[in-house]
Amino acid sequence: MTHPTPDSASATARYVGSDNQSGISPEVWAAMAEANAGHAPAYGADAWTQAAADGVRRLFDTDCEVFFVFNGTAANSLALASLCQSYHSVICAASAHVETDECGAPEFFSNGSKLLTAPSEEGKLLPETIRALATSRTDIHFPKARVVTITQATETGRVYTPGEIAAIADTCRGSGLRLHMDGARFANACAGLGCHPGDITWRAGVDVLCFGGTKNGMAVGEAVIFFDRRLAEDFDYRCKQAGQLASKMRYLAAPWIGSLRDDAWLARAGHANACAARLARQIADVPGMRLLHPVDANAVFLDMSDSAAARLRALGWQFYAFIGGGVRLMFTWDTAFATVDALAADLRRAAA
Amino acid sequence: MTHPTPDSASATARYVGSDNQSGISPEVWAAMAEANAGHAPAYGADAWTQAAADGVRRLFDTDCEVFFVFNGTAANSLALASLCQSYHSVICAASAHVETDECGAPEFFSNGSKLLTAPSEEGKLLPETIRALATSRTDIHFPKARVVTITQATETGRVYTPGEIAAIADTCRGSGLRLHMDGARFANACAGLGCHPGDITWRAGVDVLCFGGTKNGMAVGEAVIFFDRRLAEDFDYRCKQAGQLASKMRYLAAPWIGSLRDDAWLARAGHANACAARLARQIADVPGMRLLHPVDANAVFLDMSDSAAARLRALGWQFYAFIGGGVRLMFTWDTAFATVDALAADLRRAAA
Amino acid sequence: MTHPTPDSASATARYVGSDNQSGISPEVWAAMAEANAGHAPAYGADAWTQAAADGVRRLFDTDCEVFFVFNGTAANSLALASLCQSYHSVICAASAHVETDECGAPEFFSNGSKLLTAPSEEGKLLPETIRALATSRTDIHFPKARVVTITQATETGRVYTPGEIAAIADTCRGSGLRLHMDGARFANACAGLGCHPGDITWRAGVDVLCFGGTKNGMAVGEAVIFFDRRLAEDFDYRCKQAGQLASKMRYLAAPWIGSLRDDAWLARAGHANACAARLARQIADVPGMRLLHPVDANAVFLDMSDSAAARLRALGWQFYAFIGGGVRLMFTWDTAFATVDALAADLRRAAA
Amino acid sequence: MTHPTPDSASATARYVGSDNQSGISPEVWAAMAEANAGHAPAYGADAWTQAAADGVRRLFDTDCEVFFVFNGTAANSLALASLCQSYHSVICAASAHVETDECGAPEFFSNGSKLLTAPSEEGKLLPETIRALATSRTDIHFPKARVVTITQATETGRVYTPGEIAAIADTCRGSGLRLHMDGARFANACAGLGCHPGDITWRAGVDVLCFGGTKNGMAVGEAVIFFDRRLAEDFDYRCKQAGQLASKMRYLAAPWIGSLRDDAWLARAGHANACAARLARQIADVPGMRLLHPVDANAVFLDMSDSAAARLRALGWQFYAFIGGGVRLMFTWDTAFATVDALAADLRRAAA
């Protein structure tokens, strides 16, 4: 059995499309192997689930409620549904994943809550935008705004600072809104900011965080974390009814034990971020290739001609391109620096 | 790393509550390890997902549509929702898992379809019961019956014969009903019957099967199999919206490759069944302990006094008891025969 | 223009199937005509809606929240949905209208809340039954009980006394359950009991009442009344989203003004009850026709042979029969005593 | 009893906010009075419901399926829900009522179908816009487009010509989309175009029409009309479950009989349109007041300063204003020409 590891280029290293193309990290794999010993109580009554939840509480340094679910679609949708009713609405950036790439999952889980999309600065909502949207309609012919969701890091690879989040949370409190964070790449945000996880969540006023594991070395698994325990009332029933309670819960929980141990989660995310920064540096002088956004996390967005993108693809790279120009190159826990260097060289070639 | 294997008793071997208390089988683990190599396309576009689906098609010897989802709650609920609208109803046994243990998941996924419960013989529906229920109400003030769901093996450890299923399917066709099979323990049914998987599904008239993997050696994972491909239209969208599309799909698919290889799935289920049969034989002469149902699969249901059950529990066994007497003892792919023998001895002791 | 009035037999008087076969009562018609003057603000901002809600508050002698919706299906379903989440359950009698004749509406409006049916005495739930059902399952694999709904008068024409309701409410409070009353025939119950409307609702511990107007002389219209105003939070949004907000609300509200004026609602219901009592008296000695239930309200249930029922139908009467014997004869605000007498005579003839 | 009639100014005539501020027209009132005779079968089995549906079929000159529901929110939401599943999407103009003023009703009734909003020319969608939106996303991470809804007349008082609708229907057929028409002001569109109702519906390729009655003289009531009867399968169950089946259906049906008789519906709508045209003519030369849209139906949209709008309001007029300038003045079946003239004079005064 071989595990791909950073700095060892492999035949499959040419995937830079998304961090969900990567596999299971060694520490996660090892934790699953440890958990795979004999029989255990089902549905979360096992020791691994307890230990993983305790580990999350220690990490955040607060007595939060923690639930482990299968994927980000469900984590975010269940969390949002728990914060509003069907006739309420959720404020998000127009570029938010919940709006653009979940096939209507938030609407399904909530039985009809509307997403109100706002313009943003590279995926980052501003307090004034939220306030404007929350107050633009106050009649019963339009769903009442009840929740704000922000993505940390954003879909365009930016991160909110603790101060920015606190300002948003203040706005929320003043407007009767709850604050949810889609943290599919929360680890990358923490690594990028170099701050304590609590600083950009509960200390800043976030009510619920969906902490992503899949994109950072797990096979499946996200943690839904309620910092205000009262908001978590009956959330276990909600998970069960929505098909998000694993019977063999230990396999959803143990990965968190492995990932939290020795702060592996942070080191892995930091490595992915370092790859993005490395690429950005290497191609800074390539003519015709402009960074579309500052690189705060593990993604590099490049303005690039369609023909250059086609040449890059012809060189064997897998990535996402946007209509009218622009590509996303994304790095993950096991991207080798050699892969980054090869990509930089091929970008230079494609640009020529 | 150690894998629990049959015939090696362990400290945890005293769990006989459910087959979901067991771990990951060696062949499933190995397949996951093989899949855990480098990067792969996400969302099911990888080679493992293709191979696993092809494997299922070969197993059933028909060109079915196959979807891999996280758990049985979702598999059954999504399948049922795809077969009816919110104002339709689903006929099931009163003891059916979808009715008794899914926290309203079928109603949630379908946005309100009602389950119509019927009396059954040890969890097995009869054609005449189905017909009576389907025709008992035909006015618009009651949800129109559109689907029948049967559990194979049943919640009380019985199996439907191919002929029994065919008779039910005939009734369904005559009444405008679709036939769904909850196959959380489909492997145990196949092993118990010694028949081809096709004989109790598409050849007998089943429209959709939820084929369980979790209880037979996987960490997570069920396959939803549409034998009539037209019924699967847009089912991929349904899975995505409902939070049941894994981004790293290879880890949901590879276990099936491992499990199907060399018919491991059937051997594992056969072993679990053999444990049940072994126990039944050994305790046949214990006074005060009566088999509640014939043993067709991997569960033994015993009529037992509450005090005997308490004594058994005091001896360290974990199992489910039913109010007013009766316990369920369930065996799985890795139950050691020594464990069965020890249980038999303790049952005899508890009965004394 | 002619209005049917009590004691004037008409060509259509042979409908004794349901009180919803009757028309609009003169006082309701007059109120609608008064409201039909010129233009008025829409969506309930008009003077009639305010006056009708105030009238309901005066009637109940408490500062309740009042909403007018189109029909009983919606009134009950919206009220129940407001009291629970999709993963909760609602305890009701097996014979409750919400279970037997709403085509899954409660499940639809709540996105999946399960109805838990209990055996009852002629449609009346008992505290001990409620307690048993509420505590029978407390694990997350079954929807948590959160609401009890009782029908007043019941589907079999019985009424709960104030004491019986208070006992149920006590049980609810002790079990974390809310208490809802389906009052499609609330007026008949009040008339039957001769008590103040508050005595069988908020003073007895009812949280929400759906007060029926349709069956007591209105074209459409039910009032949803929250005695605890906090439970009504955002209920206006819920009504709007669910298609139950009338733009020309005055036509839903004015009928209540007409009906409440001079206690017409009570007199009309009292008349319907008197018809039922009259029939019961007149047929007490008819051989082969036995009252199935005491007559508390406006319905008479008779045990009658299928052939006798057929003869009655052949004499021109429209009514509901139940499989295996038994018919329901129901009277309404405009049933003429002469009609009752004719029916009694025909029943005697049919029995012969 | 007095009925407001055109050309007789009244104390309440200063409402020009919406056509739903008007009352019940004499012909509708008379039909309700006729229907209010004695008892009748419930739930649509009465003679009025049959006659009203037949009347609609004659009007459209085709054998369509007709359902009568309470209001436009429900009519449109139920129709859209019948045309798609929760993981599908509905293409509409950004200004469409279903998007802007239904509090998420379409999402609720469909359990999560997303509305995809498109830019439009005064509320009118163009074939190329539809095609672009329908093909912009074809992956499972975004709801599949399945329905187009157009509003006739639009929210800004424009009408689609038969040719424009046919072109849209062609696009729909080519893209696997169904075509739904929100006809809350369908009568005004017919009157404005001077065409046969079939010319802008089934002959042009519309699948389902929601034909509004409320805004054209009824108390409540919309007709959902399926031109392809197969699309109407089980729609009666859908209505029942969603709280849109009236027990005393005759009061929803009879108004249609009254309205269709002697083409009153068309004359009433034509009068409302004439009022709008009359106002537009009279104020054409008022400085600082510009028509925002051509007047095709019964609404006049004026670009007007906020201060002018305030002065108009001070003169006693009730109307809707839009932030940043612009007002909507809407006329209805009973607006007196004298009212229009008075409004024109006051507009001139307010502009000064």
Side-chain angles (χ1 to χ4, degrees):
Chain A
M1 187 179 75
T2 58
H3 293 302
T5 50
D7 293 315
S8 78
S10 85
T12 60
R14 299 182 96 78
Y15 284 94
V16 288
S18 177
D19 27 17
N20 60 30
Q21 296 170 331
S22 67
I24 302 174
S25 65
E27 64 275 12
V28 167
W29 185 268
M32 286 175 66
E34 283 169 43
N36 195 33
H39 287 199
Y43 301 117
D46 61 281
W48 292 276
T49 303
Q50 183 64 44
D54 287 345
V56 170
R57 282 186 276 270
R58 267 195 310 277
L59 176 67
F60 281 88
D61 198 20
T62 186
D63 187 28
C64 47
E65 275 273 26
V66 184
F67 301 87
F68 301 106
V69 300
F70 293 115
N71 66 6
T73 306
N76 288 314
S77 298
L78 287 169
L80 293 173
S82 77
L83 297 173
C84 64
Q85 296 288 322
S86 61
Y87 40 82
H88 291 146
S89 56
V90 176
I91 293 175
C92 67
S95 56
H97 192 78
V98 288
E99 166 68 13
T100 65
D101 284 281
E102 293 294 19
C103 197
E107 293 91 338
F108 174 76
F109 281 86
S110 64
N111 196 22
S113 303
K114 213 175 177 76
L115 300 187
L116 307 186
T117 58
S120 69
E121 294 198 349
E122 300 181 332
K124 290 166 68 175
L125 285 173
L126 295 175
E128 52 266 33
T129 318
I130 292 169
R131 201 175 298 116
L133 204 50
T135 56
S136 66
R137 289 286 297 268
T138 55
D139 57 284
I140 58 168
H141 306 289
F142 202 72
K144 190 193 247 188
R146 278 296 286 274
V147 193
V148 171
T149 177
I150 57 177
T151 312
Q152 175 78 319
T154 74
E155 290 76 9
T156 43
R158 302 302 313 277
V159 300
Y160 290 90
T161 65
E164 288 170 340
I165 294 168
I168 287 174
D170 274 351
T171 299
C172 289
R173 270 190 294 274
S175 306
L177 302 167
R178 295 287 182 183
L179 182 54
H180 164 263
M181 180 178 280
D182 174 350
R185 295 187 182 95
F186 182 75
N188 302 97
C190 288
L193 289 164
C195 69
H196 187 275
D199 293 346
I200 50 172
T201 54
W202 66 276
R203 286 194 197 112
V206 169
D207 294 299
V208 186
L209 166 70
C210 294
F211 187 176
T214 312
K215 291 183 163 74
N216 198 28
M218 300 186 191
V220 293
E222 316 281 302
V224 183
I225 304 172
F226 289 85
F227 297 108
D228 179 344
R229 295 179 78 101
R230 290 166 304 179
L231 296 177
E233 191 188 347
D234 291 343
F235 193 76
D236 47 353
Y237 285 84
R238 188 182 288 277
C239 289
K240 166 71 192 192
Q241 185 183 40
Q244 292 290 327
L245 179 66
S247 58
K248 297 185 175 178
M249 184 64 94
R250 53 176 150 162
Y251 298 108
L252 275 190
W256 288 93
I257 299 176
S259 194
L260 295 181
R261 199 180 286 154
D262 303 328
D263 278 338
W265 68 281
L266 196 59
R268 294 297 189 186
H271 171 77
N273 289 4
C275 290
R278 184 181 181 103
L279 184 79
R281 268 197 317 275
Q282 294 189 357
I283 60 161
D285 65 337
V286 176
M289 284 198 181
R290 195 174 48 84
L291 276 186
L292 284 165
H293 313 296
V295 175
D296 288 350
N298 63 325
V300 174
F301 288 79
L302 287 179
D303 189 16
M304 184 191 297
S305 70
D306 288 352
S307 58
R311 279 192 294 274
L312 188 62
R313 211 179 292 284
L315 290 166
W317 297 94
Q318 302 285 332
F319 55 90
Y320 287 101
F322 304 99
I323 292 164
V327 304
R328 183 183 83 171
L329 306 168
M330 189 158 262
F331 305 99
T332 180
W333 65 271
D334 72 344
T335 309
F337 283 144
T339 302
V340 177
D341 299 346
L343 175 58
D346 281 353
L347 277 166
R348 194 171 295 269
R349 206 168 307 157
Chain B
M1 186 180 74
T2 57
H3 294 300
T5 49
D7 294 314
S8 78
S10 84
T12 61
R14 299 180 96 75
Y15 284 94
V16 287
S18 177
D19 28 17
N20 61 31
Q21 296 170 330
S22 66
I24 303 174
S25 66
E27 65 277 10
V28 166
W29 185 268
M32 286 176 67
E34 283 169 42
N36 195 32
H39 288 198
Y43 300 116
D46 62 281
W48 292 276
T49 303
Q50 183 63 45
D54 286 344
V56 170
R57 282 186 276 268
R58 266 196 310 276
L59 175 67
F60 282 88
D61 197 19
T62 185
D63 187 30
C64 48
E65 275 273 26
V66 184
F67 301 87
F68 301 106
V69 300
F70 294 115
N71 65 7
T73 307
N76 288 315
S77 298
L78 287 169
L80 292 174
S82 77
L83 297 173
C84 64
Q85 295 288 321
S86 60
Y87 41 82
H88 291 146
S89 56
V90 176
I91 293 174
C92 67
S95 56
H97 192 79
V98 289
E99 166 67 14
T100 64
D101 284 281
E102 293 295 18
C103 197
E107 293 91 337
F108 174 76
F109 281 86
S110 65
N111 196 22
S113 303
K114 212 175 179 77
L115 300 188
L116 307 186
T117 58
S120 68
E121 296 198 348
E122 302 181 328
K124 290 167 69 176
L125 286 173
L126 295 175
E128 51 267 34
T129 318
I130 293 169
R131 201 175 299 117
L133 204 51
T135 56
S136 67
R137 288 287 296 267
T138 56
D139 57 284
I140 58 169
H141 306 289
F142 202 72
K144 190 192 247 187
R146 280 294 286 274
V147 193
V148 170
T149 177
I150 56 177
T151 311
Q152 174 77 318
T154 74
E155 290 76 9
T156 43
R158 302 301 314 275
V159 300
Y160 289 90
T161 65
E164 287 171 340
I165 294 169
I168 287 174
D170 274 351
T171 298
C172 289
R173 268 190 295 275
S175 306
L177 303 166
R178 295 287 183 183
L179 182 54
H180 165 264
M181 180 178 281
D182 174 350
R185 296 187 181 96
F186 181 76
N188 302 97
C190 288
L193 289 164
C195 70
H196 186 274
D199 292 345
I200 50 172
T201 54
W202 66 275
R203 286 194 198 114
V206 169
D207 294 299
V208 186
L209 165 70
C210 294
F211 187 177
T214 312
K215 291 183 164 75
N216 198 27
M218 300 186 193
V220 293
E222 315 283 301
V224 183
I225 305 171
F226 289 85
F227 297 108
D228 178 344
R229 297 180 76 100
R230 288 166 306 178
L231 295 177
E233 190 189 349
D234 291 342
F235 194 76
D236 47 351
Y237 285 85
R238 188 182 288 276
C239 290
K240 167 71 192 190
Q241 185 183 40
Q244 292 290 327
L245 178 65
S247 59
K248 297 185 175 178
M249 184 63 94
R250 54 175 149 161
Y251 298 108
L252 275 190
W256 287 92
I257 299 176
S259 194
L260 295 182
R261 199 179 286 152
D262 302 328
D263 278 337
W265 69 281
L266 196 60
R268 294 297 190 186
H271 170 78
N273 290 3
C275 291
R278 183 182 182 101
L279 184 78
R281 268 196 316 275
Q282 294 189 358
I283 60 161
D285 64 339
V286 176
M289 285 198 181
R290 193 175 49 83
L291 276 186
L292 284 165
H293 314 295
V295 175
D296 289 349
N298 62 326
V300 174
F301 288 79
L302 287 179
D303 189 16
M304 184 190 297
S305 69
D306 287 351
S307 58
R311 280 192 295 274
L312 188 63
R313 211 180 292 285
L315 290 166
W317 297 95
Q318 303 285 330
F319 55 90
Y320 287 102
F322 304 98
I323 294 164
V327 305
R328 184 184 82 172
L329 306 168
M330 190 160 261
F331 305 97
T332 180
W333 65 271
D334 72 342
T335 309
F337 283 143
T339 302
V340 176
D341 298 346
L343 175 57
D346 282 353
L347 278 166
R348 192 171 296 268
R349 205 168 308 158
Chain C
M1 187 180 71
T2 57
H3 294 301
T5 49
D7 295 315
S8 77
S10 83
T12 61
R14 299 183 94 78
Y15 284 94
V16 288
S18 177
D19 28 16
N20 62 29
Q21 296 170 331
S22 67
I24 303 174
S25 66
E27 64 276 10
V28 166
W29 184 268
M32 286 177 67
E34 283 169 43
N36 194 34
H39 287 199
Y43 300 116
D46 62 281
W48 292 277
T49 302
Q50 182 64 44
D54 286 345
V56 170
R57 282 186 276 267
R58 267 195 310 277
L59 175 66
F60 282 88
D61 197 20
T62 186
D63 187 30
C64 47
E65 275 274 24
V66 185
F67 301 87
F68 300 106
V69 300
F70 293 115
N71 65 7
T73 307
N76 288 315
S77 299
L78 287 169
L80 293 174
S82 77
L83 297 173
C84 64
Q85 296 288 322
S86 60
Y87 41 83
H88 291 146
S89 57
V90 176
I91 293 174
C92 67
S95 56
H97 192 79
V98 288
E99 165 67 14
T100 64
D101 284 282
E102 294 295 18
C103 197
E107 292 91 338
F108 173 77
F109 280 86
S110 65
N111 197 23
S113 303
K114 211 173 179 77
L115 300 187
L116 307 187
T117 58
S120 69
E121 295 197 350
E122 301 181 330
K124 291 166 70 176
L125 285 173
L126 295 175
E128 52 266 33
T129 318
I130 292 169
R131 201 175 300 117
L133 205 50
T135 56
S136 66
R137 288 286 297 266
T138 55
D139 57 284
I140 59 169
H141 305 288
F142 201 73
K144 191 193 245 186
R146 279 295 287 274
V147 193
V148 170
T149 177
I150 57 178
T151 311
Q152 175 79 317
T154 74
E155 289 76 7
T156 43
R158 303 300 314 274
V159 299
Y160 290 90
T161 64
E164 288 171 338
I165 295 169
I168 287 174
D170 274 350
T171 299
C172 289
R173 268 190 295 275
S175 308
L177 302 166
R178 295 286 183 183
L179 182 54
H180 165 263
M181 180 177 280
D182 174 351
R185 295 187 182 96
F186 182 76
N188 301 97
C190 289
L193 290 165
C195 69
H196 187 274
D199 293 345
I200 50 172
T201 53
W202 65 276
R203 285 192 198 116
V206 170
D207 294 299
V208 186
L209 166 70
C210 293
F211 187 177
T214 311
K215 290 183 163 75
N216 198 27
M218 300 188 192
V220 293
E222 315 283 302
V224 183
I225 305 173
F226 289 85
F227 297 109
D228 178 344
R229 296 180 75 100
R230 289 166 305 179
L231 295 177
E233 190 188 348
D234 291 342
F235 194 77
D236 48 350
Y237 284 84
R238 188 183 289 275
C239 289
K240 167 71 192 190
Q241 186 184 39
Q244 292 290 327
L245 178 66
S247 59
K248 297 184 175 179
M249 185 62 94
R250 53 175 150 162
Y251 298 109
L252 274 191
W256 287 93
I257 299 176
S259 193
L260 296 182
R261 199 180 285 153
D262 302 328
D263 278 337
W265 69 281
L266 196 60
R268 295 296 190 186
H271 170 78
N273 290 4
C275 291
R278 184 181 181 105
L279 184 78
R281 269 195 318 274
Q282 293 189 359
I283 61 161
D285 64 338
V286 177
M289 285 196 180
R290 193 175 49 83
L291 277 185
L292 284 165
H293 314 294
V295 175
D296 289 350
N298 63 325
V300 174
F301 288 79
L302 287 179
D303 188 17
M304 185 188 297
S305 69
D306 288 352
S307 59
R311 280 192 294 274
L312 188 63
R313 211 179 294 284
L315 290 165
W317 297 95
Q318 302 285 332
F319 55 90
Y320 287 101
F322 304 99
I323 293 164
V327 304
R328 183 183 83 172
L329 305 168
M330 189 159 260
F331 306 97
T332 179
W333 66 270
D334 72 342
T335 309
F337 284 142
T339 302
V340 177
D341 299 346
L343 176 57
D346 281 353
L347 278 165
R348 194 171 295 269
R349 206 169 307 157
Chain D
M1 187 180 71
T2 58
H3 293 302
T5 49
D7 294 313
S8 78
S10 83
T12 61
R14 299 181 97 76
Y15 284 95
V16 288
S18 177
D19 28 16
N20 62 29
Q21 297 170 330
S22 67
I24 303 174
S25 66
E27 65 276 12
V28 166
W29 185 268
M32 286 176 67
E34 283 169 43
N36 194 34
H39 288 198
Y43 299 117
D46 62 282
W48 291 277
T49 302
Q50 182 64 44
D54 286 345
V56 170
R57 282 187 275 269
R58 267 196 309 277
L59 175 66
F60 282 87
D61 197 18
T62 186
D63 187 29
C64 46
E65 275 274 25
V66 184
F67 301 87
F68 300 106
V69 300
F70 293 116
N71 66 6
T73 306
N76 288 314
S77 298
L78 287 170
L80 293 173
S82 77
L83 298 172
C84 63
Q85 296 288 322
S86 61
Y87 42 81
H88 291 145
S89 57
V90 176
I91 293 174
C92 67
S95 56
H97 192 78
V98 288
E99 165 67 14
T100 64
D101 285 280
E102 294 295 17
C103 197
E107 292 91 339
F108 173 76
F109 281 86
S110 65
N111 197 22
S113 303
K114 212 175 179 77
L115 301 187
L116 307 186
T117 58
S120 69
E121 295 197 348
E122 301 181 329
K124 291 166 68 176
L125 285 173
L126 295 175
E128 51 266 32
T129 318
I130 292 168
R131 201 175 300 118
L133 205 50
T135 56
S136 67
R137 289 285 297 268
T138 55
D139 57 285
I140 58 169
H141 306 288
F142 202 73
K144 191 193 245 187
R146 279 296 287 271
V147 193
V148 171
T149 176
I150 57 178
T151 311
Q152 174 78 319
T154 74
E155 289 76 8
T156 43
R158 303 300 313 276
V159 300
Y160 289 90
T161 65
E164 289 170 339
I165 294 168
I168 288 174
D170 274 350
T171 298
C172 289
R173 269 189 295 275
S175 307
L177 303 166
R178 295 287 181 182
L179 183 54
H180 165 263
M181 180 177 281
D182 174 351
R185 296 186 182 96
F186 182 75
N188 302 97
C190 289
L193 289 164
C195 69
H196 187 274
D199 293 345
I200 50 172
T201 53
W202 65 276
R203 285 192 199 115
V206 170
D207 293 300
V208 185
L209 166 70
C210 293
F211 186 177
T214 312
K215 291 183 162 74
N216 198 28
M218 300 186 192
V220 292
E222 316 282 302
V224 183
I225 304 171
F226 289 85
F227 297 109
D228 178 345
R229 295 179 77 102
R230 288 166 305 179
L231 295 177
E233 190 189 347
D234 290 342
F235 194 77
D236 47 351
Y237 285 84
R238 189 182 288 276
C239 290
K240 167 72 194 191
Q241 185 183 38
Q244 293 290 327
L245 178 66
S247 58
K248 297 185 174 177
M249 184 63 94
R250 54 177 149 161
Y251 299 107
L252 275 190
W256 287 93
I257 299 176
S259 193
L260 295 181
R261 199 180 286 152
D262 303 329
D263 277 337
W265 68 282
L266 197 59
R268 294 298 190 186
H271 170 77
N273 290 3
C275 290
R278 184 181 181 104
L279 183 79
R281 267 197 316 277
Q282 293 188 0
I283 60 160
D285 64 338
V286 176
M289 284 197 181
R290 194 175 48 83
L291 276 186
L292 283 165
H293 314 295
V295 175
D296 288 350
N298 63 326
V300 175
F301 288 80
L302 287 179
D303 188 17
M304 184 189 298
S305 70
D306 288 352
S307 58
R311 280 191 294 274
L312 188 62
R313 210 178 294 282
L315 289 166
W317 296 94
Q318 301 285 331
F319 56 90
Y320 287 100
F322 305 98
I323 293 163
V327 304
R328 183 183 83 171
L329 306 167
M330 190 159 260
F331 306 98
T332 180
W333 65 271
D334 73 342
T335 309
F337 283 143
T339 302
V340 177
D341 298 346
L343 175 57
D346 281 354
L347 277 166
R348 194 171 295 268
R349 206 168 307 157

